[in-house]
Amino acid sequence: RVGPGHCYRLYSGAVYDRHLAAFDEPEVLKRPLEDVILKLKGLRVNRILEFPFPTMPDVTRVKDSLRVLRNLGCLTSNTSDEDEGKITTLGSQ
């Protein structure tokens, strides 16, 4: 509500206090990261692990997503631990 008027809840104040969080968990923590990584790679962000996400996803999840994208051929295979791979033609489609 953004103006004067009445607002009716469909739950009690106790339910609101006990079960509803003040803020929802950030989307980047709840969903698969593959499409986010492909979009960033398409925008020429080369170091996903160093990208300043507002809320950083778990590093293990990022590395797993990079591995999945390499296995699918959406990113070039890395030749070293420092190389996260470049987006391929398949990955940019």
Side-chain angles (χ1 to χ4, degrees):
R1 197 180 97 204
V2 293
H6 297 283
C7 179
Y8 298 97
R9 287 194 286 225
L10 300 176
Y11 42 82
S12 70
V15 169
Y16 180 81
D17 291 337
R18 252 185 269 138
H19 299 290
L20 298 177
F23 299 99
D24 199 15
E25 186 178 27
E27 194 70 20
V28 74
L29 300 179
K30 296 190 291 188
R31 60 189 308 249
L33 296 175
E34 286 83 3
D35 63 328
V36 175
I37 291 173
L38 280 178
K39 180 62 84 177
L40 288 171
K41 289 289 189 177
L43 294 170
R44 297 191 174 120
V45 175
N46 294 321
R47 301 290 299 157
I48 303 298
L49 290 168
E50 296 173 7
F51 185 77
F53 288 98
T55 301
M56 182 64 180
D58 183 49
V59 174
T60 305
R61 286 186 61 223
V62 175
K63 288 181 178 181
D64 289 345
S65 295
L66 287 166
R67 187 175 60 249
V68 166
L69 291 170
R70 281 192 297 270
N71 289 341
L72 291 173
C74 296
L75 295 177
T76 58
S77 295
N78 61 344
T79 55
S80 71
D81 289 337
E82 295 297 315
D83 181 21
E84 293 179 357
K86 305 270 188 251
I87 193 166
T88 63
T89 306
L90 177 64
S92 62
Q93 292 181 353

